[in-house]
Amino acid sequence: MQFMLLFSRQGKLRLQKWYLPLSDKERKKISRDLVQTILARKPKMCSFLEWRDLKIVYKRYASLYFCCAVEDQDNELITLEIIHRYVELLDKYFGSVCELDIIFNFEKAYFILDEFLLGGEAQETSKKNVLKAIEQADLLQEEAEAPRSVLEEIGLT
Amino acid sequence: MSDVVEKTLTALPSLLSFDSQPGAAKLSSTSKLASLIRGITELTSKHEEEKLIQQELVAIKDQVSSPNTSMRQMKELMVRAIYCEMLGYEASFCYIHAIKLAQQGTALDKRVGYLAVALFLHESHELLLLLVNTVLKDLQSTNLIEVCMALTIVSQLFPKDMIPAILPLVEEKLTHPKEIIRRKAVLALYKFYLIAPNQVQHIHNKFRKALCDKDPGVMTASLHIYLQMIKENPEGYKDLTGSFVTILKQVVGGKLPMDYNYHSVPSPWLQIQLLRILSLLGKDDQSSSEIMYEVLDESLRRAEMNHNITYAILYECVKCIYTIHPKDELLEKAAKCIGNFILSPKINLKYIGLKALTYVVQQDPKLALQHQMTIIECLDHPDLIIKRETLELLFRITNGKNVTVIVEKLLDFLRTSKDDYTTIDLMGKVAEVAEKYAPDNKWFIATMNTVFSLGGDLMQPDIPNNFLKLISEGFDDGEQDRMLRLFAVDSYVSLLQGEPEKLPQRFLQVISWVLGEYSHLREDLEPATVVRLLAHVLDLKQASSETKSWVLLAMTKLCEGEAAMSVLQGVSETYSSSMDTVLRQRAQELQNLHLNPELWARVLPRDAFTEPLEVDSSLSFLDGYVSEALAAGAAPYKSPHQRQEELAQAKAVSMEPYGLSLPISMSLSSLDGRQSPTLLSMSSGLSGDSTDHSHKAGTTTLKLDKVKRVWGREGYLAQRESAVVEVPSPVHSADQIEEVGISQDPTPPPVADQEKQQLASSLFVGLGSQTSSSLMGKSEPKHQRLRKKAKDPVSSSEISKQTSNSIFPPPISVDNLLCNSNMDPKKSLPSCTQMTESSQGSAAANGTCAAEGEFTEGDVQGPEPSLFRDNRLTIAGSCETEEPVGMKDLCLTSYLPADCIGANHSEFTPLCSSHGVHLSACHVHKDDTLVLLVFISNSSNSDVHQFIVQVDSGDVEVSCLSESPVEELRCHHVEVCQYSLTAKRPSVHLEVSGLVSFNMPDRTPQTTHFSYKLPLPSFIRPLELSTEEYGTMWLAFSHDTKQNLTLVADVQDSLRATLDVLERKLHLHVVAIIGMEGIVACRLLPDQPCLMHCRVHGGTLAVWLRSPVPDLPDCLLYHCQRALQEV
């Protein structure tokens, strides 16, 4: 996968993850272009797009669009399912996720994404394992927040 | 599906104000981020947002730079900064603080710090260097979460140069007890493999361990690496085919934990990954493919559920089945699958179906026939992507009969396309099929006119170039050529008379060239008319200076007749004072040539293309000039590469002005080599280089008068069986489509629309009946070429005689074998004679293939069981079982030259043999060079004549040592050629390739190729130095690499023992051993030093190599690893 974008129906970017090295300017241009193109598409249209030499796979969930760029020879259908699995993960984590959860806790959404996809490749496809990893890290956070002192070296072995 | 999250949020502000709403419950209303977000949502204009964010950024900036900000606050600030960046506002002042947070924060702050780094920076950002130490520290942390974070960032972005610093730590994690760590480590190594493959070469064995990991997650992760490695070198991993099949069987059979199920399909991601790997392994390999058939069948059978995910798997299966060696039963099932996809009412599946069909149609054009009505419908689909994919499909099935219809469809799409990328792509395709299948001249010119007008200046330059080449070279039939040119001239004249200002520049250039060259063909056309038309183009406002210079050149060719002259006079006067030097030059040429008609006729002869032009690409006519210049004291020419190298060396040396960079004898020899004043070599070096440039520049620059000469004679021949033949096509009606076996969704019964039927019959004409060769333009360009080109310099009968022997395994010495084992799969070729026989056999069978001079490995290896993949075994086996070779070994020893007898020579390796002439080789290590000995023996009963052996290499400097070249080889005689080799540039293996040609007694010429691989250590010699010299040189060298190596175990002084091994195997020189450290030096022939510093550290040997030569440390390190692994 080359990059992933989440944006709202109003065209506001909610999350962006780039797996290929691009300058800031290029990133902005690409996301602006794609947001425009995708928002202009009708609901019954194909979920795939050709864009430069990449394939864009997108899907709308409620008010949010999830959009991934893959290479031309990649399997578009499985990319759709990657999006879906990510949505499932978010849903499970936030408990019935909505756009607001992602807006206000976007760093959590990133953590989940990083646990699921690493460097653009599916890292762990078991829902249970991904969430376990996130919970362990969160646990650390809560414990840390309680005493607020000896934070270092909480070995979780 | 979206019901999972179907919880629409309608009014954001209202939700925010009522905390009782479920979504808002989780928001901490006090957080500053929340108030920022809330603030933004309340705004009404973009301008207000900008103002607010700028304020916010100022506040953040203040706080991050304040010393009183705690890490905890910093974390919160980072989150806000990320948010601002996401909205499109730059917060680059935060980058350094993000790194600081990752470095200094506690575990939970770090998490945000790392996240911010990953989001803010890209792979080549300079600040990333500051992260290396943090990562290093965290990788060693006892806290699992910290290790995870470090591995995560490493697999996302890490500076390439710093990989060696953390590689040992990441490698270590492959054996970590926790699977999550192992998994992340595997992915980190995958990332390293992508950006710096040679750095992880030595861990290939550990990847195998990861593949066998008991945790499915780790195993899945390792497949990413395998997919990549197999993509690059499928031959090297054939032995794993069985394992991958077994894994897939288990997955399909539901043997994995339930956690990995996705909508009750067992681990679809894993399945797809495995299918991809299998298709790479089974491609052109029957025996590997046979192992897969069963599991593929099973996968097809299991994937029955009506869900997207099963379709994804099916699609991958279909692709795999069509990629590997075909099996009818599976192909049938796969074809049925594609049919289901195409006929599905779901648009995504339809698209996938079209994509699959496009993929397979080259092998099975009939499949397109079955679905012709659906394809026609897709052509008019409202969704562009469906249309686009359909056109792609049509492009693949283009043939001489349907080309007009298909090109029309492609052009229709081009007219509406707004996307540059698509336009460029389609234009190339139209030009390709138009050239290949044009039914007649008129159509061809008209089509190309449309392409040029639509393509505008986006067009790739090769389209007009090819077009002009085609027009100028024509084909065999003079009359046809004339007609084509005449058509072109006619159509261009009328275009220029119309609205030339609407034509794109490239088109104008093409037009002016053709008119300049061929307008005389139309006798009723006055040159003056053409000149006036061209002059009009010159006056166009939008004409670029490049176009103008094409026009001026065309005018120069038209200096005939009074009327034309007067126009030209005016033009040349205008432009001879142009500011543009090129235009001024053209104008001067024009002026002078038209004053001197004799010169004009000689410089620009008409129809110059009818005779092939010899191009002296070596520029030997300049040799005299060069030698004069050299004699007059000019500095000899150095190639850019050479200059750069010297510059690098000079830089390295300059750090220590008085230091001895090399022992004196060596630096002398290096001077010798570089300044060698022999004129001949100098000038030829010069010539070679400058032609390269001219070739490169030829495509773009304005060497207009030369253009025609640079082009070769290879060209296309339009098909002369012109005129579309309306073959009554096998039109399939609706009921037939259903009969094909579509289960789910019957298509809306097509009202047998007359128009569509007609379109179908013209589109799919000739698909079923013809042989495949003319059907698939794209897949077999070679075929096409050979068929069309009657003037091909090598006749096919000659080609088939040419035997080509590809590389033979050199079973030289132990270390050599080692190196081969993993590196080159080609080594496992069958033994010498077998090989020759089989290659000759196949050469005779399909002479056209042999035109390439090499056989695809699949051809040659066909009968070899794929089990013999362990290279070491095969090589040894092939030498021992092959008795004649063994015998020859003994005999050959007696032919060793006198000065090589005492020296250490490698084993004799058969190179190739042909018609009783056998070539073998060995190499001999000498102090200052590596001698390659090529033994040529004639075992036939007759003499061979005009014997020529040429040895050449890109990696190695070859010079012949034999006084007189072998010219004749009497029967049962052996001749020896000696070559001295030194390395031009380091590489893990250096390859020498050669060519033997000779005449058989019956005068038939024979040519055979061979190649010989030498491992780097053959070129390594000890470098004797004092410790002081070593110290000076160490500082001066700029290229280095670091790595941990395994120590020789179970001995008392393991450092000494390890260095002894290296000294023995790689001919290094141990300068000194001081305590736990050792310094070692060597040189790469002729004189490139490389220094090594070793330290025993925690049970491993930390080595650090330095050299002035790029890549030398890496390559040498590779051999050190291999040498030590073998112990």
Side-chain angles (χ1 to χ4, degrees), chain B residues 129-382:
Chain B
L129 279 180
L130 298 177
L131 197 72
V132 175
N133 263 329
T134 316
V135 169
L136 213 55
K137 201 183 82 196
D138 286 338
L139 279 176
Q140 288 162 309
S141 163
T142 51
N143 186 336
L144 272 191
I145 306 282
E146 284 181 349
V147 180
C148 279
M149 287 190 286
L151 286 172
T152 303
I153 193 82
V154 159
S155 356
Q156 298 190 56
L157 66 170
F158 199 74
K160 186 181 164 192
D161 314 336
M162 298 309 290
I163 290 176
I166 57 160
L167 190 60
L169 284 172
V170 177
E171 228 181 297
E172 196 174 274
K173 298 285 181 283
L174 287 176
T175 51
H176 199 277
K178 278 282 181 190
E179 57 274 1
I180 185 170
I181 304 278
R182 291 203 301 275
R183 190 178 72 215
K184 282 178 196 281
V186 168
L187 281 166
L189 290 173
Y190 168 64
K191 172 80 174 178
F192 294 166
Y193 182 81
L194 289 182
I195 57 180
N198 56 347
Q199 308 254 28
V200 289
Q201 240 168 10
H202 63 287
I203 358 187
H204 284 197
N205 282 338
K206 296 195 178 161
F207 293 154
R208 290 205 180 211
K209 236 173 118 190
L211 182 66
C212 305
D213 201 288
K214 60 182 190 297
D215 180 68
V218 182
M219 189 261 286
T220 313
S222 76
L223 291 183
H224 294 305
I225 302 181
Y226 274 101
L227 181 65
Q228 195 62 32
M229 294 195 300
I230 292 172
K231 215 179 261 172
E232 284 157 20
N233 171 21
E235 297 303 318
Y237 300 90
K238 297 269 177 176
D239 59 329
L240 285 176
T241 313
S243 319
F244 289 126
V245 168
T246 319
I247 300 174
L248 184 57
K249 253 182 211 156
Q250 288 174 352
V251 176
V252 175
K255 299 270 159 51
L256 283 194
M258 290 292 278
D259 292 342
Y260 288 89
N261 282 11
Y262 176 83
H263 296 256
S264 60
V265 175
S267 200
W269 282 276
L270 182 52
Q271 285 195 44
I272 284 176
Q273 201 76 352
L274 285 166
L275 286 168
R276 283 178 183 158
I277 290 178
L278 288 184
S279 67
L280 290 173
L281 287 172
K283 194 175 182 196
D284 302 323
D285 182 347
Q286 188 173 0
S287 53
S288 298
S289 300
E290 274 163 5
I291 313 176
M292 304 169 194
Y293 291 148
E294 193 193 329
V295 73
L296 287 174
D297 194 41
E298 171 118 8
S299 297
L300 280 180
R301 211 152 31 79
R302 294 252 183 182
E304 270 170 349
M305 206 181 59
N306 186 4
H307 187 282
N308 226 348
I309 195 74
T310 51
Y311 297 136
I313 296 173
L314 277 180
Y315 171 68
E316 213 64 48
C317 266
V318 167
K319 263 175 81 173
C320 181
I321 288 169
Y322 271 95
T323 313
I324 63 172
H325 189 87
K327 188 186 185 198
D328 292 341
E329 198 188 323
L330 284 176
L331 287 179
E332 212 170 281
K333 289 185 183 171
K336 205 171 146 190
C337 260
I338 295 179
N340 286 341
F341 281 141
I342 288 191
L343 293 168
S344 165
K346 290 182 184 156
I347 188 162
N348 288 349
L349 292 187
K350 198 181 266 302
Y351 173 79
I352 286 291
L354 285 169
K355 198 175 160 187
L357 192 54
T358 312
Y359 185 79
V360 307
V361 80
Q362 300 192 345
Q363 288 161 60
D364 193 358
K366 288 193 192 113
L367 206 53
L369 269 182
Q370 288 176 10
H371 300 293
Q372 46 182 325
M373 288 319 282
T374 323
I375 294 172
I376 303 268
E377 272 158 31
C378 289
L379 259 185
D380 293 324
H381 203 279

Side-chain angles (χ1 to χ4, degrees), chain A:
Chain A
M1 188 179 292
Q2 309 291 319
F3 57 83
M4 186 181 211
L5 301 174
L6 262 70
F7 53 90
S8 70
R9 220 167 30 180
Q10 290 78 29
K12 280 248 190 289
L13 211 53
R14 294 300 179 212
L15 200 113
Q16 52 173 348
K17 188 83 193 176
W18 302 85
Y19 296 111
L20 72 176
L22 287 176
S23 75
D24 224 33
K25 217 169 133 192
E26 286 168 302
R27 289 180 181 185
K28 272 184 200 158
K29 189 182 173 323
I30 293 173
S31 41
R32 206 172 41 233
D33 277 8
L34 279 180
V35 168
Q36 264 175 14
T37 324
I38 293 176
L39 287 178
R41 287 176 71 84
K42 297 188 188 75
K44 286 279 172 206
M45 280 182 151
C46 197
S47 305
F48 317 132
L49 270 187
E50 256 174 26
W51 189 79
R52 296 196 197 164
D53 53 342
L54 295 179
K55 269 291 160 54
I56 307 294
V57 178
Y58 72 92
K59 192 165 168 70
R60 186 179 152 179
Y61 287 88
S63 57
L64 264 188
Y65 283 87
F66 289 70
C67 155
C68 293
V70 293
E71 269 155 45
D72 186 51
Q73 68 272 20
D74 272 342
N75 185 334
E76 289 89 352
L77 291 176
I78 197 76
T79 313
L80 269 184
E81 298 314 303
I82 284 187
I83 294 180
H84 190 73
R85 177 42 53 111
Y86 181 47
V87 175
E88 283 180 356
L89 286 167
L90 291 173
D91 196 54
K92 185 101 184 186
Y93 181 81
F94 288 108
S96 208
V97 70
C98 72
E99 191 185 345
L100 276 189
D101 294 321
I102 295 172
I103 298 174
F104 284 93
N105 300 290
F106 66 88
E107 80 275 18
K108 297 271 171 51
Y110 276 119
F111 292 142
I112 297 172
L113 185 61
D114 282 347
E115 233 15 86
F116 174 44
L117 299 175
L118 194 51
E121 303 285 354
Q123 179 195 177
E124 176 61 77
T125 55
S126 148
K127 199 155 51 170
K128 200 181 90 188
N129 287 355
V130 174
L131 291 172
K132 203 169 82 188
I134 294 288
E135 273 157 23
Q136 279 182 346
D138 282 351
L139 206 66
L140 180 76
Q141 187 141 354
E142 272 162 32
E143 274 177 35
E145 264 165 21
R148 279 190 198 181
S149 54
V150 201
L151 303 163
E152 213 89 45
E153 305 298 331
I154 305 173
L156 273 177
T157 33

Side-chain angles (χ1 to χ4, degrees), chain B residues 98 271 299 310 338 466 520-521 666 740 832 887 949:
Chain B
Q271 285 195 44
S299 297
T310 51
I338 295 179
N466 284 343
H520 65 89
L521 289 176
M666 277 164 49
V740 174
C832 179
M887 298 269 288
V949 186

